Amino acid sequence: MDLLKWSKRPAVGVDAKKPQVNIVRGLIARATTPLLPDDYLHLVNPLWSARELRGRVIDVVRETEDTATVTIRTGWGFPDSYKPGQYVGIGLQVAGRWHWRSYSLTSIGDEVDKTIAITVKANPDGFLSAHLVEGVSPGTIIRLAAPKGDFHLPEPLPDGLLFITAGSGITPVMSMLRALRARDQQPDIVHVHSAPTRDDVIFLEEMEKMDGDLLSYDLQLQLTREKGKFNIDQLDSEVPDWRDRSCWACGPVAMLDTVEERYAEEGLREQLHIERFAIARTDVGGEGGTVTFTKSDKSVEIDGATTILEAGEDLGIQMPFGCRMGICQTCVVPLAAGYVRDLRSGDEHREGERIQTCISSVSGECTIDL
Amino acid sequence: MAITDIDQYAHLTDADVEALGAELDAIRRDIEESRGEADARYIRRAITVQRSLAAGGRVVLMFSNRKSAWVAGTAMLSLAKIIENMELGHNVMHGQWDWMNDPEIHSSSWEWDTTCPSVQWKHSHNFVHHKYTNVVGMDDDVGYGILRVTRDQPWEWWNVGNPIYNFTLGTFFEYGVALHHLETEKLRKKEKSYRQALKDLRIIGRKVGKQAAKDYLIFPALAGPNWKSTITANFTSNIVRNYWAYMVIFCGHFPDGAEKFTVEEYENEDQPRWYLRQMLGSANFRAGPLMRFMSGNLSHQIEHHLFPDLPSSRYEEIGVRVRELCDKYDLPYTTGSIVHQYFQSFRTITKLALPNALLKATTDDAPETASELRFAVREGVQDHFGVDPATGRRRGLRTALRELKKAPVRAAA
Ligand code: FES
């Protein structure tokens, strides 16, 4: 037993679908130490590495004027199964830097062809999304983070479902719809989706087809240019039984806020599931904010001149540090969520990047796993 | 005594030092802003070259019973180890490539191909050495706890072995670097407990074990009947790498003109003076593109000490600008051929095996150890510095040093 552990030890922290793979990996790593065999293999084929999950863009298909579906062949170690509605981290190198962002998966997981799909909307301020929609050529190697997120359907399924989506908020729900369609038993679904015009509706054809084919799926399109913004009070007239349904909502912050408020008022908050990725994607601007240290379960409000290192120390957290002047890299930690600003260069860093806490301050809010 | 008043030593006014600091800050900003695709490509290629050499060398050494294979394989492996330690390990762990945001080429995750565990190295090198550069008593790289490299270190009887320790350190440099973290100096002074040292030693032991197992057990075993020649090849490549790393590092820190500083100087220091200490404390050696690459660009030790976290591949370009600043402020830019720089380091180490009483120069005015007092002991020299109102030319440290060399020794009245 101990021998088994010993064999795998160099590969701890590497995702492998079959544990045997990591035994082989660990044994070979005795010869390639301090590297893993993967580090040599990915020179031959970039997908042959599970140390960092990788993928290769297969194609990019336009859905609407400003959205595209990117299909990606995944490399070693990427999980075959994920839950429809979860999101995946994507890293793309632009001008020498890797940029990370999370996108909802719109594929439903297929053991055979090992591809995943994301559907991306090019926000004018979203640097990476614009790149993905406009500029990624097939063959590009990207990095991936394993799928995660709580925004998915439970098992067993509730009898009645309500989806409230708007704009690109459709993406996680689309993956749920596709997964549901692939099953035999169909719950009763009402789907309220908002978009400015028909041309802006991502997956329009697919949804309308489902609406026609399936009795159990009722699509209510809210074209906001004509009908105005979705109003929570509409529910009473258009989905009279909404209180009996479990609801999944995804879209702009303002919409989600009103939905959440209403559910809370009615004492139905339990029934509501919300995906708020929009918050993490708007530039919060300004300086200072809240720093949260997850492992210590503490958080504090600081101004833009206080460093994260100081903030953590003030809370009594054991923060790694050395020079405290930005040269030694002792204080580097991954940024689990949110934004920080590098006080020397003024650069903003975001989720997924590694930051030097001694010269960084928060920009809006951030979370550190310490 | 080493430098206590850096402004006076450098012949700079307060305003000069501020201005110099601002110019160096501007260099940092320019480089930071211009980092991009080309730099990323550079480091990725360096990694590919290094890994191909390593893999190639190991394969060739499977046939190391043949002399030509032994030579070729050993050469490839030595190169791979050198590149890994110098251009990759050292620089990546300095955070020079952290801006790429690549989790695999990042200071927080890189483990290098040498016996020193990277966590410890980031402390003893990045922090202790780079923050306290050449402050006698604070920077353990001043002599590594076993060598006497400045007259400010009081002579003790065991220092007579200085030249021998020097060669031993060169040969087993990777172990020297690994044991560095034990901080023998602090142990001797009882500033560190043996329990902590033991803990460090265990971590070192684990890494040493892995490195040694790879070179002296696993690859020889894989080579089957050629196990013996594989061991000699691996041993040789480790030694080659050790000597080279040692050479590069000694040439950057111990030639004449790489100054040492007192704790007092350090205590009154701000950012511009920190820069100044780095400039005066380091030395370069001349190198073409290949030598630069093989030394991890530490042929530009001055630039590295000024900007330890900027990409090594940009040091050449930074060097041009640093030289211009040296001209402008009339500061020395210590450089020379690698042979010349090493010779000076070696001379110092040999000389300092002897107690100061047997040596000619003083702790204020020796080729390798100086203080601002070296200018005071010579009558009249001090006065002509500052900017010449007639020509507008600055007469600063570099001119002073030159004149000192020419002027006959005259004690101040
Ligand atoms: S503590 Fe040294 S870089 Fe942050």
Side-chain angles (χ1 to χ4, degrees), chain A residues 260-290:
Chain A
E260 192 174 15
E261 226 168 84
R262 181 63 183 273
Y263 269 79
E265 272 166 26
E266 305 246 354
L268 299 172
R269 189 59 188 81
E270 298 276 275
Q271 265 161 253
L272 175 67
H273 311 267
I274 281 185
E275 178 86 310
R276 279 191 176 277
F277 55 49
I279 265 199
R281 284 174 203 177
T282 47
D283 197 335
V284 275
E287 293 289 346
T290 316

PDB file of all heavy atoms in Angstrom, chain A residues 260-290:
ATOM      1  N   GLU A 260     -33.851  37.631  -7.382  1.00  0.00           N
ATOM      2  CA  GLU A 260     -33.467  37.144  -6.064  1.00  0.00           C
ATOM      3  C   GLU A 260     -34.315  37.807  -4.965  1.00  0.00           C
ATOM      4  O   GLU A 260     -34.790  37.153  -4.039  1.00  0.00           O
ATOM      5  CB  GLU A 260     -31.986  37.438  -5.822  1.00  0.00           C
ATOM      6  CG  GLU A 260     -31.438  36.707  -4.611  1.00  0.00           C
ATOM      7  CD  GLU A 260     -29.938  36.882  -4.451  1.00  0.00           C
ATOM      8  OE1 GLU A 260     -29.363  37.781  -5.092  1.00  0.00           O
ATOM      9  OE2 GLU A 260     -29.356  36.111  -3.676  1.00  0.00           O
ATOM     10  N   GLU A 261     -34.518  39.090  -5.137  1.00  0.00           N
ATOM     11  CA  GLU A 261     -35.311  39.845  -4.167  1.00  0.00           C
ATOM     12  C   GLU A 261     -36.716  39.260  -4.053  1.00  0.00           C
ATOM     13  O   GLU A 261     -37.218  39.007  -2.970  1.00  0.00           O
ATOM     14  CB  GLU A 261     -35.426  41.276  -4.675  1.00  0.00           C
ATOM     15  CG  GLU A 261     -35.174  42.355  -3.656  1.00  0.00           C
ATOM     16  CD  GLU A 261     -35.030  43.682  -4.381  1.00  0.00           C
ATOM     17  OE1 GLU A 261     -36.086  44.286  -4.661  1.00  0.00           O
ATOM     18  OE2 GLU A 261     -33.887  44.072  -4.703  1.00  0.00           O
ATOM     19  N   ARG A 262     -37.324  39.046  -5.220  1.00  0.00           N
ATOM     20  CA  ARG A 262     -38.694  38.555  -5.235  1.00  0.00           C
ATOM     21  C   ARG A 262     -38.805  37.185  -4.574  1.00  0.00           C
ATOM     22  O   ARG A 262     -39.685  36.936  -3.756  1.00  0.00           O
ATOM     23  CB  ARG A 262     -39.188  38.492  -6.690  1.00  0.00           C
ATOM     24  CG  ARG A 262     -40.609  38.022  -6.833  1.00  0.00           C
ATOM     25  CD  ARG A 262     -41.563  39.010  -6.134  1.00  0.00           C
ATOM     26  NE  ARG A 262     -42.943  38.552  -6.199  1.00  0.00           N
ATOM     27  CZ  ARG A 262     -43.766  38.803  -7.211  1.00  0.00           C
ATOM     28  NH1 ARG A 262     -43.346  39.532  -8.236  1.00  0.00           N
ATOM     29  NH2 ARG A 262     -44.997  38.347  -7.209  1.00  0.00           N
ATOM     30  N   TYR A 263     -37.863  36.317  -4.916  1.00  0.00           N
ATOM     31  CA  TYR A 263     -37.878  34.974  -4.327  1.00  0.00           C
ATOM     32  C   TYR A 263     -37.717  35.043  -2.820  1.00  0.00           C
ATOM     33  O   TYR A 263     -38.349  34.314  -2.074  1.00  0.00           O
ATOM     34  CB  TYR A 263     -36.795  34.092  -4.950  1.00  0.00           C
ATOM     35  CG  TYR A 263     -37.298  33.325  -6.154  1.00  0.00           C
ATOM     36  CD1 TYR A 263     -37.409  33.958  -7.389  1.00  0.00           C
ATOM     37  CD2 TYR A 263     -37.677  31.994  -6.053  1.00  0.00           C
ATOM     38  CE1 TYR A 263     -37.878  33.269  -8.505  1.00  0.00           C
ATOM     39  CE2 TYR A 263     -38.148  31.295  -7.152  1.00  0.00           C
ATOM     40  CZ  TYR A 263     -38.246  31.929  -8.365  1.00  0.00           C
ATOM     41  OH  TYR A 263     -38.717  31.254  -9.450  1.00  0.00           O
ATOM     42  N   ALA A 264     -36.854  35.967  -2.389  1.00  0.00           N
ATOM     43  CA  ALA A 264     -36.630  36.105  -0.952  1.00  0.00           C
ATOM     44  C   ALA A 264     -37.901  36.592  -0.260  1.00  0.00           C
ATOM     45  O   ALA A 264     -38.292  36.079   0.791  1.00  0.00           O
ATOM     46  CB  ALA A 264     -35.465  37.054  -0.692  1.00  0.00           C
ATOM     47  N   GLU A 265     -38.524  37.597  -0.889  1.00  0.00           N
ATOM     48  CA  GLU A 265     -39.774  38.138  -0.324  1.00  0.00           C
ATOM     49  C   GLU A 265     -40.814  37.058  -0.114  1.00  0.00           C
ATOM     50  O   GLU A 265     -41.540  37.046   0.870  1.00  0.00           O
ATOM     51  CB  GLU A 265     -40.382  39.173  -1.279  1.00  0.00           C
ATOM     52  CG  GLU A 265     -39.890  40.583  -1.071  1.00  0.00           C
ATOM     53  CD  GLU A 265     -40.266  41.459  -2.260  1.00  0.00           C
ATOM     54  OE1 GLU A 265     -41.283  41.128  -2.955  1.00  0.00           O
ATOM     55  OE2 GLU A 265     -39.562  42.453  -2.506  1.00  0.00           O
ATOM     56  N   GLU A 266     -40.889  36.191  -1.084  1.00  0.00           N
ATOM     57  CA  GLU A 266     -41.925  35.167  -1.034  1.00  0.00           C
ATOM     58  C   GLU A 266     -41.497  33.964  -0.191  1.00  0.00           C
ATOM     59  O   GLU A 266     -42.200  32.969  -0.123  1.00  0.00           O
ATOM     60  CB  GLU A 266     -42.278  34.691  -2.451  1.00  0.00           C
ATOM     61  CG  GLU A 266     -42.666  35.842  -3.361  1.00  0.00           C
ATOM     62  CD  GLU A 266     -44.125  35.774  -3.794  1.00  0.00           C
ATOM     63  OE1 GLU A 266     -44.791  34.768  -3.477  1.00  0.00           O
ATOM     64  OE2 GLU A 266     -44.579  36.732  -4.447  1.00  0.00           O
ATOM     65  N   GLY A 267     -40.290  34.045   0.349  1.00  0.00           N
ATOM     66  CA  GLY A 267     -39.799  32.927   1.166  1.00  0.00           C
ATOM     67  C   GLY A 267     -39.451  31.707   0.316  1.00  0.00           C
ATOM     68  O   GLY A 267     -39.483  30.573   0.772  1.00  0.00           O
ATOM     69  N   LEU A 268     -39.092  31.940  -0.952  1.00  0.00           N
ATOM     70  CA  LEU A 268     -38.814  30.818  -1.865  1.00  0.00           C
ATOM     71  C   LEU A 268     -37.338  30.750  -2.263  1.00  0.00           C
ATOM     72  O   LEU A 268     -36.996  30.092  -3.240  1.00  0.00           O
ATOM     73  CB  LEU A 268     -39.657  30.974  -3.135  1.00  0.00           C
ATOM     74  CG  LEU A 268     -41.169  30.982  -2.941  1.00  0.00           C
ATOM     75  CD1 LEU A 268     -41.851  31.331  -4.255  1.00  0.00           C
ATOM     76  CD2 LEU A 268     -41.641  29.626  -2.434  1.00  0.00           C
ATOM     77  N   ARG A 269     -36.508  31.442  -1.513  1.00  0.00           N
ATOM     78  CA  ARG A 269     -35.108  31.557  -1.913  1.00  0.00           C
ATOM     79  C   ARG A 269     -34.456  30.193  -2.173  1.00  0.00           C
ATOM     80  O   ARG A 269     -33.605  30.053  -3.059  1.00  0.00           O
ATOM     81  CB  ARG A 269     -34.330  32.324  -0.837  1.00  0.00           C
ATOM     82  CG  ARG A 269     -32.908  32.703  -1.196  1.00  0.00           C
ATOM     83  CD  ARG A 269     -32.856  33.572  -2.442  1.00  0.00           C
ATOM     84  NE  ARG A 269     -31.476  33.784  -2.904  1.00  0.00           N
ATOM     85  CZ  ARG A 269     -30.796  32.907  -3.624  1.00  0.00           C
ATOM     86  NH1 ARG A 269     -31.334  31.753  -3.945  1.00  0.00           N
ATOM     87  NH2 ARG A 269     -29.563  33.173  -4.018  1.00  0.00           N
ATOM     88  N   GLU A 270     -34.897  29.195  -1.424  1.00  0.00           N
ATOM     89  CA  GLU A 270     -34.358  27.840  -1.572  1.00  0.00           C
ATOM     90  C   GLU A 270     -34.503  27.286  -2.978  1.00  0.00           C
ATOM     91  O   GLU A 270     -33.696  26.496  -3.440  1.00  0.00           O
ATOM     92  CB  GLU A 270     -35.109  26.874  -0.633  1.00  0.00           C
ATOM     93  CG  GLU A 270     -34.959  27.199   0.816  1.00  0.00           C
ATOM     94  CD  GLU A 270     -33.684  26.600   1.362  1.00  0.00           C
ATOM     95  OE1 GLU A 270     -33.721  25.416   1.737  1.00  0.00           O
ATOM     96  OE2 GLU A 270     -32.666  27.322   1.400  1.00  0.00           O
ATOM     97  N   GLN A 271     -35.578  27.718  -3.631  1.00  0.00           N
ATOM     98  CA  GLN A 271     -35.900  27.168  -4.951  1.00  0.00           C
ATOM     99  C   GLN A 271     -35.118  27.818  -6.084  1.00  0.00           C
ATOM    100  O   GLN A 271     -35.194  27.408  -7.222  1.00  0.00           O
ATOM    101  CB  GLN A 271     -37.386  27.422  -5.247  1.00  0.00           C
ATOM    102  CG  GLN A 271     -38.263  26.265  -4.900  1.00  0.00           C
ATOM    103  CD  GLN A 271     -39.687  26.730  -4.784  1.00  0.00           C
ATOM    104  OE1 GLN A 271     -40.230  26.819  -3.690  1.00  0.00           O
ATOM    105  NE2 GLN A 271     -40.315  27.021  -5.915  1.00  0.00           N
ATOM    106  N   LEU A 272     -34.409  28.890  -5.738  1.00  0.00           N
ATOM    107  CA  LEU A 272     -33.750  29.683  -6.781  1.00  0.00           C
ATOM    108  C   LEU A 272     -32.248  29.394  -6.853  1.00  0.00           C
ATOM    109  O   LEU A 272     -31.563  29.359  -5.839  1.00  0.00           O
ATOM    110  CB  LEU A 272     -33.966  31.169  -6.490  1.00  0.00           C
ATOM    111  CG  LEU A 272     -33.256  32.157  -7.418  1.00  0.00           C
ATOM    112  CD1 LEU A 272     -33.831  32.086  -8.825  1.00  0.00           C
ATOM    113  CD2 LEU A 272     -33.351  33.569  -6.849  1.00  0.00           C
ATOM    114  N   HIS A 273     -31.768  29.172  -8.063  1.00  0.00           N
ATOM    115  CA  HIS A 273     -30.333  28.970  -8.280  1.00  0.00           C
ATOM    116  C   HIS A 273     -29.855  30.054  -9.222  1.00  0.00           C
ATOM    117  O   HIS A 273     -30.466  30.267 -10.267  1.00  0.00           O
ATOM    118  CB  HIS A 273     -30.056  27.604  -8.895  1.00  0.00           C
ATOM    119  CG  HIS A 273     -30.765  26.499  -8.176  1.00  0.00           C
ATOM    120  ND1 HIS A 273     -30.173  25.798  -7.159  1.00  0.00           N
ATOM    121  CD2 HIS A 273     -32.031  26.040  -8.285  1.00  0.00           C
ATOM    122  CE1 HIS A 273     -31.049  24.920  -6.677  1.00  0.00           C
ATOM    123  NE2 HIS A 273     -32.186  25.049  -7.344  1.00  0.00           N
ATOM    124  N   ILE A 274     -28.787  30.698  -8.820  1.00  0.00           N
ATOM    125  CA  ILE A 274     -28.338  31.846  -9.609  1.00  0.00           C
ATOM    126  C   ILE A 274     -26.877  31.675 -10.017  1.00  0.00           C
ATOM    127  O   ILE A 274     -26.064  31.196  -9.233  1.00  0.00           O
ATOM    128  CB  ILE A 274     -28.501  33.146  -8.784  1.00  0.00           C
ATOM    129  CG1 ILE A 274     -29.966  33.581  -8.820  1.00  0.00           C
ATOM    130  CG2 ILE A 274     -27.612  34.239  -9.298  1.00  0.00           C
ATOM    131  CD1 ILE A 274     -30.207  34.907  -8.154  1.00  0.00           C
ATOM    132  N   GLU A 275     -26.565  32.049 -11.246  1.00  0.00           N
ATOM    133  CA  GLU A 275     -25.159  32.080 -11.665  1.00  0.00           C
ATOM    134  C   GLU A 275     -24.809  33.533 -11.874  1.00  0.00           C
ATOM    135  O   GLU A 275     -25.358  34.213 -12.714  1.00  0.00           O
ATOM    136  CB  GLU A 275     -24.995  31.298 -12.979  1.00  0.00           C
ATOM    137  CG  GLU A 275     -23.585  31.325 -13.515  1.00  0.00           C
ATOM    138  CD  GLU A 275     -22.698  30.228 -12.932  1.00  0.00           C
ATOM    139  OE1 GLU A 275     -22.685  30.093 -11.687  1.00  0.00           O
ATOM    140  OE2 GLU A 275     -22.051  29.529 -13.715  1.00  0.00           O
ATOM    141  N   ARG A 276     -23.878  33.997 -11.059  1.00  0.00           N
ATOM    142  CA  ARG A 276     -23.581  35.424 -11.089  1.00  0.00           C
ATOM    143  C   ARG A 276     -22.256  35.711 -11.748  1.00  0.00           C
ATOM    144  O   ARG A 276     -21.501  36.533 -11.272  1.00  0.00           O
ATOM    145  CB  ARG A 276     -23.510  35.951  -9.663  1.00  0.00           C
ATOM    146  CG  ARG A 276     -24.843  36.248  -9.063  1.00  0.00           C
ATOM    147  CD  ARG A 276     -24.685  37.016  -7.778  1.00  0.00           C
ATOM    148  NE  ARG A 276     -25.983  37.388  -7.258  1.00  0.00           N
ATOM    149  CZ  ARG A 276     -26.643  38.441  -7.661  1.00  0.00           C
ATOM    150  NH1 ARG A 276     -26.124  39.248  -8.576  1.00  0.00           N
ATOM    151  NH2 ARG A 276     -27.831  38.716  -7.177  1.00  0.00           N
ATOM    152  N   PHE A 277     -21.908  35.066 -12.812  1.00  0.00           N
ATOM    153  CA  PHE A 277     -20.555  35.342 -13.301  1.00  0.00           C
ATOM    154  C   PHE A 277     -20.390  36.743 -13.846  1.00  0.00           C
ATOM    155  O   PHE A 277     -19.309  37.223 -14.023  1.00  0.00           O
ATOM    156  CB  PHE A 277     -20.044  34.305 -14.274  1.00  0.00           C
ATOM    157  CG  PHE A 277     -20.889  34.012 -15.476  1.00  0.00           C
ATOM    158  CD1 PHE A 277     -21.379  35.030 -16.268  1.00  0.00           C
ATOM    159  CD2 PHE A 277     -21.168  32.700 -15.808  1.00  0.00           C
ATOM    160  CE1 PHE A 277     -22.133  34.744 -17.377  1.00  0.00           C
ATOM    161  CE2 PHE A 277     -21.929  32.423 -16.924  1.00  0.00           C
ATOM    162  CZ  PHE A 277     -22.422  33.433 -17.708  1.00  0.00           C
ATOM    163  N   ALA A 278     -21.504  37.407 -14.081  1.00  0.00           N
ATOM    164  CA  ALA A 278     -21.394  38.763 -14.623  1.00  0.00           C
ATOM    165  C   ALA A 278     -20.650  39.688 -13.665  1.00  0.00           C
ATOM    166  O   ALA A 278     -19.909  40.548 -14.075  1.00  0.00           O
ATOM    167  CB  ALA A 278     -22.770  39.323 -14.912  1.00  0.00           C
ATOM    168  N   ILE A 279     -20.827  39.460 -12.371  1.00  0.00           N
ATOM    169  CA  ILE A 279     -20.163  40.318 -11.387  1.00  0.00           C
ATOM    170  C   ILE A 279     -18.666  40.275 -11.545  1.00  0.00           C
ATOM    171  O   ILE A 279     -18.000  41.302 -11.564  1.00  0.00           O
ATOM    172  CB  ILE A 279     -20.531  39.875  -9.959  1.00  0.00           C
ATOM    173  CG1 ILE A 279     -21.691  40.721  -9.479  1.00  0.00           C
ATOM    174  CG2 ILE A 279     -19.362  40.032  -9.013  1.00  0.00           C
ATOM    175  CD1 ILE A 279     -21.859  40.730  -8.007  1.00  0.00           C
ATOM    176  N   ALA A 280     -18.157  39.102 -11.711  1.00  0.00           N
ATOM    177  CA  ALA A 280     -16.716  38.955 -11.783  1.00  0.00           C
ATOM    178  C   ALA A 280     -16.168  39.484 -13.102  1.00  0.00           C
ATOM    179  O   ALA A 280     -14.980  39.567 -13.288  1.00  0.00           O
ATOM    180  CB  ALA A 280     -16.342  37.504 -11.614  1.00  0.00           C
ATOM    181  N   ARG A 281     -17.012  39.807 -14.010  1.00  0.00           N
ATOM    182  CA  ARG A 281     -16.505  40.196 -15.320  1.00  0.00           C
ATOM    183  C   ARG A 281     -16.612  41.672 -15.617  1.00  0.00           C
ATOM    184  O   ARG A 281     -16.144  42.129 -16.627  1.00  0.00           O
ATOM    185  CB  ARG A 281     -17.259  39.420 -16.403  1.00  0.00           C
ATOM    186  CG  ARG A 281     -16.755  38.014 -16.440  1.00  0.00           C
ATOM    187  CD  ARG A 281     -17.538  37.169 -17.363  1.00  0.00           C
ATOM    188  NE  ARG A 281     -17.362  35.788 -16.948  1.00  0.00           N
ATOM    189  CZ  ARG A 281     -17.971  34.785 -17.511  1.00  0.00           C
ATOM    190  NH1 ARG A 281     -18.808  34.992 -18.499  1.00  0.00           N
ATOM    191  NH2 ARG A 281     -17.757  33.573 -17.085  1.00  0.00           N
ATOM    192  N   THR A 282     -17.280  42.413 -14.753  1.00  0.00           N
ATOM    193  CA  THR A 282     -17.315  43.835 -15.023  1.00  0.00           C
ATOM    194  C   THR A 282     -16.132  44.446 -14.309  1.00  0.00           C
ATOM    195  O   THR A 282     -15.760  44.023 -13.236  1.00  0.00           O
ATOM    196  CB  THR A 282     -18.596  44.462 -14.463  1.00  0.00           C
ATOM    197  OG1 THR A 282     -18.760  43.998 -13.140  1.00  0.00           O
ATOM    198  CG2 THR A 282     -19.789  44.099 -15.300  1.00  0.00           C
ATOM    199  N   ASP A 283     -15.558  45.458 -14.912  1.00  0.00           N
ATOM    200  CA  ASP A 283     -14.429  46.106 -14.265  1.00  0.00           C
ATOM    201  C   ASP A 283     -14.954  46.919 -13.097  1.00  0.00           C
ATOM    202  O   ASP A 283     -15.749  47.818 -13.264  1.00  0.00           O
ATOM    203  CB  ASP A 283     -13.722  46.997 -15.267  1.00  0.00           C
ATOM    204  CG  ASP A 283     -12.343  47.353 -14.761  1.00  0.00           C
ATOM    205  OD1 ASP A 283     -12.137  47.327 -13.539  1.00  0.00           O
ATOM    206  OD2 ASP A 283     -11.499  47.647 -15.584  1.00  0.00           O
ATOM    207  N   VAL A 284     -14.521  46.544 -11.927  1.00  0.00           N
ATOM    208  CA  VAL A 284     -15.043  47.215 -10.753  1.00  0.00           C
ATOM    209  C   VAL A 284     -14.519  48.631 -10.597  1.00  0.00           C
ATOM    210  O   VAL A 284     -15.171  49.485 -10.020  1.00  0.00           O
ATOM    211  CB  VAL A 284     -14.734  46.413  -9.481  1.00  0.00           C
ATOM    212  CG1 VAL A 284     -15.775  45.368  -9.279  1.00  0.00           C
ATOM    213  CG2 VAL A 284     -13.370  45.818  -9.573  1.00  0.00           C
ATOM    214  N   GLY A 285     -13.325  48.888 -11.124  1.00  0.00           N
ATOM    215  CA  GLY A 285     -12.763  50.228 -11.046  1.00  0.00           C
ATOM    216  C   GLY A 285     -12.500  50.649  -9.615  1.00  0.00           C
ATOM    217  O   GLY A 285     -12.762  49.922  -8.673  1.00  0.00           O
ATOM    218  N   GLY A 286     -11.969  51.845  -9.463  1.00  0.00           N
ATOM    219  CA  GLY A 286     -11.687  52.332  -8.124  1.00  0.00           C
ATOM    220  C   GLY A 286     -10.631  51.490  -7.444  1.00  0.00           C
ATOM    221  O   GLY A 286     -10.153  50.516  -7.997  1.00  0.00           O
ATOM    222  N   GLU A 287     -10.278  51.854  -6.268  1.00  0.00           N
ATOM    223  CA  GLU A 287      -9.228  51.118  -5.569  1.00  0.00           C
ATOM    224  C   GLU A 287      -9.721  50.721  -4.195  1.00  0.00           C
ATOM    225  O   GLU A 287     -10.673  51.284  -3.672  1.00  0.00           O
ATOM    226  CB  GLU A 287      -7.985  51.997  -5.428  1.00  0.00           C
ATOM    227  CG  GLU A 287      -7.310  52.319  -6.747  1.00  0.00           C
ATOM    228  CD  GLU A 287      -6.612  51.110  -7.362  1.00  0.00           C
ATOM    229  OE1 GLU A 287      -6.423  50.097  -6.667  1.00  0.00           O
ATOM    230  OE2 GLU A 287      -6.268  51.191  -8.548  1.00  0.00           O
ATOM    231  N   GLY A 288      -9.055  49.768  -3.625  1.00  0.00           N
ATOM    232  CA  GLY A 288      -9.447  49.311  -2.303  1.00  0.00           C
ATOM    233  C   GLY A 288     -10.644  48.387  -2.403  1.00  0.00           C
ATOM    234  O   GLY A 288     -11.198  48.175  -3.481  1.00  0.00           O
ATOM    235  N   GLY A 289     -11.041  47.823  -1.283  1.00  0.00           N
ATOM    236  CA  GLY A 289     -12.180  46.922  -1.293  1.00  0.00           C
ATOM    237  C   GLY A 289     -12.012  45.848  -0.250  1.00  0.00           C
ATOM    238  O   GLY A 289     -11.246  45.995   0.707  1.00  0.00           O
ATOM    239  N   THR A 290     -12.725  44.751  -0.470  1.00  0.00           N
ATOM    240  CA  THR A 290     -12.736  43.704   0.530  1.00  0.00           C
ATOM    241  C   THR A 290     -11.793  42.564   0.152  1.00  0.00           C
ATOM    242  O   THR A 290     -11.825  42.090  -0.968  1.00  0.00           O
ATOM    243  CB  THR A 290     -14.152  43.123   0.665  1.00  0.00           C
ATOM    244  OG1 THR A 290     -15.061  44.211   0.689  1.00  0.00           O
ATOM    245  CG2 THR A 290     -14.290  42.303   1.927  1.00  0.00           C
TER     246      THR A 290
END
